[in-house]
């Protein structure tokens, strides 16, 4: 008697692979034989549990983890394929509280589907957004995105609908949609996980954007450090062409859209949108002055939508479920969900997608479970290497663009990096300047020279020769970089420096009086 | 006079109808839409501090010195990159802005040598100026931090140093190399603090693609890119505005001096021909003027085998006058004549032709334009009614398609080439008709739409086929033709004949019919299509026919009489246009009026007090023929080395040897002076006071920076010879000569030195109807009334390849050298081109067993010379190419007496030759 | 090798440009051109050669033009001052 093989899910996500997912998958396939179908899904985002193996059972998908290759034989023997008990058994995957308590919108399919199966994609609600969008006029799509309150997830939080409207209104026979997937911020990985775990969502989102603004060509600019994401995207794009989701007639409509992947060259600055456009044009990755804004004169001087992976990846859900569903989540002017990434010295790191408004404390202490070292949390850096360092006293802060800005901090791309009480905040401030010096494109003076001088001045402060004078100088420099830099790279570098000075003055050997 | 500094508005001017009103520091100003806040401020007298901005370059926004405060805008936007908006209110000076600017400057100076007092740019440094302007008093960072002060200086270029330790990484040089010059030799290497200017792929300037145009030096706000002459001589302290004396572009320069010594030549931003740009020749190659080879005293000898004897002016002039009169007494009034030079000023040329016509009493005057652009004068006069190009240079900024025929502007007219390249980068298309794959066919950021690789000598077949396509494919601008032209029907019948079809002439021209048709459609369907051409058109047995063929094509497509169109000769020498305008041709009085015209002659006769000959005189080749016949025995040669530059050297030498008196007026002893009996020292352009007229008919002032080194102006010498021959001819100064030109020549009626000093320059016609001159001609009608279509039969040249001479030699110029090289060979430019080489296709070399660097014999039916070979696939098979910059090459030893049927312009571009191996290259040389 | 006299070579070179035109019209154009651009001595040499034994060295169109040129050259028609 033949029966359907049992489906076992082992993530293909590079975070899972880095802790042995490939070997686990191989071992399961070898040992279990033809009775098992191994699906390489994306990651559920519970990185401390990777490799997280799931088994499809009549009662739903049962999770085990973290599974080492050596565990496989024992798990199979214990009845893994039936979802049997085992010390590594975590129960039904979607009942794991960490996951259950999230609101997964952008990441709804990540970890669930086979990322490269168009059928799986459609079976899980894929294409509903694009189908609906194509039944509307571009103006209606732009209005829907505007109404959803979706803001750019790359960090700046600019309303996506307004940007799209500008591009839609620009007269040009050639327009572009560019996806910024140069995810260079330390402690961020959501773009990668979406591209590896659900690439069709990004493709669909870009097609919707193209329809909405009248673009015919799209580019995904992926950093070279993400080879798996590049490969996955390229395979998915090929499949999308085969299915008619891309190409001359998208979904058999009179609408053509071609999509290409371009790989960056390892420069952080190419995550800045105008540098990215320069790089896409084959030039040196150097920031352009704005205006002209890319929406009017972007790639090759043509009107261009530039959005982050998560922004474009949110669009299919918005179009499928309607603007109101998305706008119904969140607080203030921060609508919908944000895909937070917990990292650093944290007990439970990974993806937390939840509505805006969750507090920093809930993320770090609740989801994150405090530090991995077990020592007390001392500081959290939110929003990447240019984000502010916040002390535990600010754990009440709601994750909300405006609330963070008021606290001289930023939500950014949603990266949350945790430090315990052994951290030296003067060294962290110095690192911010050093990072800027290493990654500056070199175009504007405050960033090019200022960052190098910043490192030197912090060293002098720590050495303590003329602290009062040097603290004033550092303050002036931070002011100059904030106000005078050409782009956000130099403009935001003072944020971690100043937040470290504000919240942890003792680490600089300074008294509060001296700082004023 | 002190140093002239043009106002720098920071960003380029925007053109456009729509304007925007803004308020800056309480001042209201209205500027074209798209203008930057910085420029708008500058236009109402408010200078915003800046370092990376300069108005020759698009805004870049890197230095962050120009931050301003704008009502309703967050932060402090950079004024260079922020365009004005209606009603915008801007503040350029606030305590906050002052602090930011001082902060930026503090950063700059923390990585800059503190050697202002010993720096060559001391007093001419924008960094220094800005530090003062923002009130920087201390650098709190100290000077112990990371820095670039130990970076080495690149001194490989003969004219300027690149001192990387002084670089502020503003990218002005990099941007100038791209945006202004269009070469893209410079880049920024590394990132962040390590960002630094690099030439090419990290090598030296000389190893890179740098063409030494000086745009980077001009753009540098510090002493990083600095003329070595400034390093050596110090900062200049006065300026004289003048005009370059090399090619027909006629760039305006500021000669910057210390005392009488020229420290540097700086392109003048307000010069309309060049708008602040320059090339390696005009910018740097002026050292010949003070070269020790210059002969500064007159010399005389009885026979050309005698040694020269230096004499005083009086003796030299008396000798010339006496011998000329003796020859006339013995052989008739027509036995003497003169040749004027396109290198000299209008005033100097005018007096030469006046001397010949009034003092010699004949019309035996010709000019070196005979050997370059005489077909232009003939062809455009026949068709349009005026012997000059139709446009100004700026017009190319409006061209959608450029048809470039037989010209190599990146080498021969580099500053105009930069304009072309800029237009191409903006999206205009170029069609190149040339046997060689010149740089405008393919080079960085340039890709010709079509390269019509026409066989030398078959231009007319090519242009006829293009016109054939226009006529037979319905591309004629019927309205234009009906309203503005005549003889169209005959021409249409003629050109429609199947023998002119691209398919029929493909065998002749070597240009595939489909390519020619596509190119023609592109030309004819462009909004604005312009034709630019050079000596590759004129120096042919059908040079004049080709000029008329191009004129026909432009008329048939309605591409005449507005910006962006026209037919435009690229003149080889600085004053080709002017020397022709001044009546240097034996059949024409000033203003292209025939000597047989009684009314015109009457004007001059009245003024000059002599009866003028109503018959045309001898052209240069006729002079040589007559000399050999023994009927022409006395020649005055002004600034032209005919023995090197004219074709068939053997024949020219024989003619010169046969003369009884050859008078050479020049800077240097040259090939011609070997045959001379009298040498009269000439003046360099730095000593001249007068005007040059460039290829766009622009009359530019040439102002002296020093007194004539020989003691006399060239026009004075000519006047004194005429006087000594018994004809009273005297002027107080050269301005008086121009006044006489204006008085006698209607197209120059409104020209005077006073007017030029006031408005800068004018393009003739300049008269009461057009007091400011005429940039574009034939706007409301052709000068001759209606534009005339002329039938242009293709007649193959008699010069063709044979079994004995199977290759075709064609000649041209390279960037760093100029014509016979008398000047450029006496400058640092020899670093680029120490010798003439023979370019040859690999196939032609292979079958002859020739390798790169071998020395070969180049033989034609009239002579033989030796050259080194450069194997280069930019040549087509069957055609070889060389330049004529070095006398040792003697390229004209092999050129023949063939010439344009209408004007006798020599057929330099087609000579049947053979190439044979003489000496293999030494090992290791290739 | 004897060199063709320049005036004969040049006249023939002009004539060949008009070979495909009506001979009478061509002769007029050639004569006009020679009158406008050649010095009188060369012109009279041409006329002399054309009226003497030409031994076939002159193009028939040149011969026709030369006939129009003789006897003495007068002011050139159609050449007026222009700007």
């Amino acid at each position: 008697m033949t029966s359907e093989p049992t489906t076992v899910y082992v993530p293909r996500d590079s975070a899972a692979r880095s802790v042995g997912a490939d070997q686990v998958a191989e071992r399961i396939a070898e040992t279990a034989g033809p009775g098992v179908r191994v699906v390489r899904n994306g990651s559920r985002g519970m990185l401390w549990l990777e490799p997280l193996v799931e088994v499809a059972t009549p009662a739903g998908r049962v999770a085990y983890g973290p599974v080492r290759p050596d565990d496989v034989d024992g798990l199979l023997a214990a009845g893994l394929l039936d979802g049997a008990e085992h010390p590594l058994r975590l129960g039904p995957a979607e009942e794991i509280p960490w996951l259950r308590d999230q609101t997964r919108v952008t990441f709804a399919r990540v970890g669930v589907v086979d990322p490269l199966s168009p059928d799986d994609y459609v079976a899980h609600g894929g294409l509903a957004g694009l189908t609906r969008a194509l039944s509307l006029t571009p103006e209606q799509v732009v209005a829907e995105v505007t109404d959803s309150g979706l803001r750019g997830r790359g960090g700046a939080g600019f309303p996506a609908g307004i940007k799209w409207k500008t591009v839609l209104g620009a007269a040009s026979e050639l327009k572009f949609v560019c996806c910024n997937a140069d995810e260079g911020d330390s402690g961020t990985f959501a773009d990668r996980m979406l591209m590896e775990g659900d690439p069709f969502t990004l493709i669909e989102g870009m097609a919707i954007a193209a329809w909405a603004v009248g673009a015919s060509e799209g580019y995904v600019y992926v950093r070279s450090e993400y080879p798996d994401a590049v490969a996955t995207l390229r395979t998915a794009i090929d499949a999308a062409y085969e299915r008619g989701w891309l190409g001359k007639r998208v979904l058999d409509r009179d609408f053509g859209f071609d999509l290409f992947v371009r790989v960056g060259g390892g420069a952080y600055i190419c995550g800045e949108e105008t540098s990215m456009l320069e790089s896409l044009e084959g030039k040196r990755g150097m920031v352009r002055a704005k205006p002209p804004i890319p929406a009017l004169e972007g790639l090759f001087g043509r009107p261009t939508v530039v959005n982050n992976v998560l922004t474009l990846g949110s669009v299919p859900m918005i179009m499928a479920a309607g603007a109101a569903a998305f706008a119904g989540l969140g607080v203030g002017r921060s609508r919908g969900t944000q895909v937070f990434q917990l990292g650093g010295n944290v007990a439970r790191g990974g993806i937390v997608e939840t509505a805006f408004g969750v507090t920093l404390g809930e993320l770090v202490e609740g989801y994150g479970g405090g530090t991995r070292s077990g020592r007390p949390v001392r500081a959290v850096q939110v929003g990447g290497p240019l984000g502010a360092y916040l002390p535990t006293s600010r754990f009440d802060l709601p994750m909300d663009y405006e609330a963070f800005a008021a606290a001289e901090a930023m939500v950014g791309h949603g990266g949350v990096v945790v430090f315990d009480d052994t951290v030296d905040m003067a060294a962290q401030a110095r690192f911010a300047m050093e990072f800027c010096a290493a990654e500056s494109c070199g175009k504007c003076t405050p960033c090019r020279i200022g960052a190098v001088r910043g490192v030197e001045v912090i060293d002098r402060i720590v050495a303590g020769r003329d602290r009062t004078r040097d603290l004033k100088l550092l303050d002036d420099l931070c002011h100059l970089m904030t106000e005078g830099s050409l782009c956000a790279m130099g403009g935001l570098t003072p944020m971690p420096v100043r937040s470290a000075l504000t919240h942890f003055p003792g680490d600089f050997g300074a008294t509060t009086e001296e700082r004023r | 006079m002190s140093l002239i500094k043009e106002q720098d508005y920071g960003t380029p001017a925007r053109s456009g109808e729509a304007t925007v009103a803004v308020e800056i520091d309480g001042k209201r100003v209205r500027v074209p839409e798209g203008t930057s806040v910085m420029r708008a401020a500058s236009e109402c007298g408010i200078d915003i501090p800046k370092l990376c901005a300069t108005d020759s370059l698009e805004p870049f926004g890197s230095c962050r010195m120009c931050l301003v405060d704008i009502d309703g805008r967050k932060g402090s936007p950079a004024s260079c990159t922020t365009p004005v908006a209606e009603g915008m209110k801007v503040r350029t000076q606030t305590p906050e802005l002052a602090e930011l600017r001082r902060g930026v400057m503090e950063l700059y100076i923390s990585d800059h040598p503190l050697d202002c007092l010993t720096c060559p740019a001391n007093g001419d440094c924008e960094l220094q100026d800005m530090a003062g302007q923002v009130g920087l008093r201390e650098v709190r960072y100290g000077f112990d931090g990371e820095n670039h002060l130990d970076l080495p200086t690149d001194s490989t270029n003969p004219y300027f140093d690149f001192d990387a330790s002084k670089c502020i990484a503003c990218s002005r040089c990099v941007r100038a190399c791209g945006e202004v010059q269009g070469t893209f030799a410079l880049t920024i290497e590394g990132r962040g603090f390590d960002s630094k200017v690099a030439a090419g792929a990290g090598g030296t300037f000389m190893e890179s693609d740098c063409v030494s145009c000086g745009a980077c030096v001009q753009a540098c706000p510090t002493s990083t890119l600095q003329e070595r002459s400034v390093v050596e001589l110090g900062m200049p302290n006065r300026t004289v505005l003048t005009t370059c004396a090399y090619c027909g572009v006629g760039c305006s320069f500021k000669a910057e001096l210390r005392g009488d010594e020229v420290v540097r030549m700086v392109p003048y931003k307000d010069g309309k021909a060049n708008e602040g740009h320059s090339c390696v020749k005009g910018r740097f190659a002026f050292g010949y003027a003070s070269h020790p080879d210059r002969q500064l005293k007159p010399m005389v000898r009885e026979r050309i085998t005698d040694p020269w004897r230096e004499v005083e002016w009086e003796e030299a002039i008396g000798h010339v006058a006496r011998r000329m009169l003796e020859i006339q007494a013995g052989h008739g009034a027509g036995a003497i004549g003169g040749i004027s030079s396109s290198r000299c000023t209008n005033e100097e040329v005018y007096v030469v032709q006046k001397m010949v016509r009034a003092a010699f009493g004949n019309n035996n005057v010709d000019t070196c334009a005979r050997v370059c652009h005489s077909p232009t004068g003939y062809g455009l006069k026949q068709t349009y009614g005026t012997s000059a190009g139709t446009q100004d240079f700026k017009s190319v900024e409006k061209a959608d398609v450029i048809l470039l025929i037989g010209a190599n502007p990146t080498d021969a007219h580099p500053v105009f080439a930069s304009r072309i390249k800029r237009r191409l980068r903006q999206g205009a298309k170029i069609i190149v008709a040339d046997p060689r794959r010149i740089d405008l066919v393919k080079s960085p950021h340039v890709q010709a739409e079509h390269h019509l690789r026409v066989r030398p000598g078959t231009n007319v077949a090519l242009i006829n086929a293009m016109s054939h396509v226009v006529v037979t494919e319905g591309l004629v601008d019927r309205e234009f033709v009906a309203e503005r032209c005549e003889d169209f029907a005959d021409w249409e019948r003629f050109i429609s004949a199947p023998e002119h079809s691209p398919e029929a002439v493909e065998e002749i021209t070597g240009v595939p019919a489909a390519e020619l048709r596509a190119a023609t459609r592109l030309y004819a369907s462009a909004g604005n299509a312009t034709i630019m051409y050079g000596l590759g058109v004129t120096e042919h047995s059908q040079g004049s026919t080709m000029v008329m063929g191009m004129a026909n094509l432009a008329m048939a497509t309605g591409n005449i009489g507005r910006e962006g169109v026209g037919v435009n000769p690229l003149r080889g020498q600085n004053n080709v246009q002017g020397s022709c305008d001044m009546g240097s041709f034996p059949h024409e009085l000033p203003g292209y009026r025939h000597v047989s015209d009684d009314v015109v002659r009457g004007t001059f006769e009245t003024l000059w007090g002599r009866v003028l000959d109503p018959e045309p005189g001898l052209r240069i080749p006729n002079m040589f023929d007559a000399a050999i016949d023994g009927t022409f025995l006395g020649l005055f040669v002004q600034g032209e080395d005919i023995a090197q530059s004219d074709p068939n050297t053997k024949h020219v030498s024989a003619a010169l040897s046969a003369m009884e008196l050859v008078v050479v007026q020049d800077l240097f002893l040259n090939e011609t002076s070997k045959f001379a009996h009298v040498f009269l020292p000439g003046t360099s352009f730095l000593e001249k006071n007068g005007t040059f007229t460039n290829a766009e008919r622009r009359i530019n002032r040439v102002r002296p920076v020093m007194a004539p080194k020989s003691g006399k102006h060239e026009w004075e010498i000519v006047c004194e010879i005429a006087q000594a021959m018994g004809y009273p001819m005297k002027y107080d100064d050269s301005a008086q000569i121009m006044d006489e030109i204006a008085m006698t020549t209607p197209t120059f009626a409104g020209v005077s030195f006073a007017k030029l000093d006031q408005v800068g320059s004018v393009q003739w016609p300049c008269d009461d109807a057009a007091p400011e001159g005429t940039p574009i001609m034939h706007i409301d009608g052709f000068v001759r009334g209606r534009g005339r279509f002329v039938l242009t039969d293709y007649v193959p040249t008699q010069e063709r390849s044979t079994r004995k001479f199977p290759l075709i030699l064609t000649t041209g110029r390279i960037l760093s050298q100029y014509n016979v090289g008398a000047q450029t060979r006496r400058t640092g430019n020899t670093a680029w081109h120490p010798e003439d080489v023979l370019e040859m296709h690999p196939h032609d070399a292979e079958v002859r067993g020739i390798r790169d660097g071998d020395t070969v014999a180049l033989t034609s039916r009239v002579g033989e010379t030796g050259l080194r070979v450069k194997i280069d696939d930019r040549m087509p098979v069957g055609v070889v190419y060389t330049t004529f910059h070095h006398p040792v090459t003697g390229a004209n030893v092999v050129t023949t007496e063939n010439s344009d049927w209408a004007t006798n312009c020599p057929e330099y571009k087609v000579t049947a030759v053979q190439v044979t191996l003489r000496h293999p290259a030494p090992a290791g040389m290739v | 090798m004897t060199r063709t006299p320049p005036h004969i070579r040049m006249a023939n070179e002009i004539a060949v440009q008009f070979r495909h035109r009506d001979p009478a019209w061509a002769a007029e154009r050639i004569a006009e051109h020679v009158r406008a651009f050649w010095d009188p001595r060369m012109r009279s040499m041409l006329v002399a050669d054309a009226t003497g034994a030409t031994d076939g060295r002159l193009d028939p169109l040149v011969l026709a033009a030369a006939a129009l040129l003789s006897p003495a050259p007068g002011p050139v028609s159609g050449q007026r001052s222009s700007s």
Side-chain angles (χ1 to χ4, degrees), chain B residues 85-106:
Chain B
E86 186 62 42
M88 190 183 252
K89 283 193 174 152
V90 181
R91 273 168 310 282
T92 72
Q93 302 293 341
T94 70
E96 161 76 8
L97 293 172
E99 191 188 330
L100 291 174
R101 289 172 188 155
R102 210 159 31 233
V104 171
M105 187 50 70
E106 192 178 6

Side-chain angles (χ1 to χ4, degrees), chain B residues 268-277 394 397 419 422:
Chain B
Y268 184 48
K269 207 171 75 179
D270 297 339
K272 299 222 172 56
N274 56 319
E275 296 184 329
H277 192 35
K394 201 175 179 61
E397 292 170 11
R419 270 193 207 259
R422 188 179 330 165

